[in-house]
Amino acid sequence: MVELTPAELTLLGLLVEKPRHGYELEEVITERGMREWTEIGFSSIYYLLTKLRDRGLIAETAEPAHGKARKVFAPTPAGFQSCAAAAEEAVAVLRPVFPPVLAGLANQPVIPPARLRAALARRAQALTDKIAEVRAAAERQEPPPFVRAIFDFSLGQLEAEQRWLTTYRGEL
């Protein structure tokens, strides 16, 4: 199996959905709020497409893109297989994440108590704002179930952190 980065898997998955050109990929990434959970900048889309093409996972198609002469990419059979295998592994395998908040908590003895309480209050507000933003993004569209699952997962994580933060702040 070909190893795929999360960004490569995300783009390949969007091409498995349907052949697309780079600008259309950008539109879907923005519309679905994908930058909240993957590192794909607008400028990296074409770089990643080139990498996927050079590895034989996607190929240019002859399909016109909305009547414009843009390169449209689609997965090759190897790309489809690699996407399926990598997606299954990404779902099944628990991998560590390294949120900076944990490094901050590990070093909280050096933060004066009043500043720690203020920092936690700012985080609580940021969580409230992000939850509202994700809910609004989900409500603006009628995503298919697999996209809805991403919104639900993100909300679940944010809400779990919000519950933890409420409890933790109460212990200070």
Side-chain angles (χ1 to χ4, degrees), residues 40-170:
I40 301 176
F42 176 73
S43 61
S44 66
I45 290 174
Y46 290 98
Y47 169 75
L48 291 168
L49 288 171
T50 299
K51 281 181 65 177
L52 292 169
R53 186 196 63 210
D54 290 350
R55 291 166 64 194
L57 301 176
I58 64 172
E60 292 179 34
T61 68
E63 296 179 30
H66 306 291
K68 296 182 181 179
R70 292 185 172 145
K71 292 180 183 177
V72 175
F73 297 91
T76 62
F80 187 88
Q81 289 175 336
S82 292
C83 183
E88 182 178 346
E89 183 176 333
V91 169
V93 176
L94 187 61
R95 288 194 170 81
V97 292
F98 307 102
V101 66
L102 296 180
L105 290 171
N107 289 286
Q108 68 180 316
V110 301
I111 306 171
R115 291 184 61 90
L116 177 60
R117 283 191 295 278
L120 292 169
R122 287 194 313 269
R123 187 170 191 89
Q125 184 59 54
L127 282 167
T128 298
D129 295 346
K130 181 54 76 175
I131 288 168
E133 180 184 318
V134 172
R135 279 196 179 119
E139 291 169 5
R140 279 193 303 271
Q141 51 189 302
E142 292 185 34
F146 70 94
V147 174
R148 171 60 63 191
I150 296 166
F151 282 114
D152 291 346
F153 183 84
S154 297
L155 283 169
Q157 286 187 311
L158 292 165
E159 290 165 347
E161 184 176 343
Q162 192 175 50
R163 285 190 302 276
W164 168 82
L165 189 54
T166 299
T167 302
Y168 185 71
R169 286 173 63 197

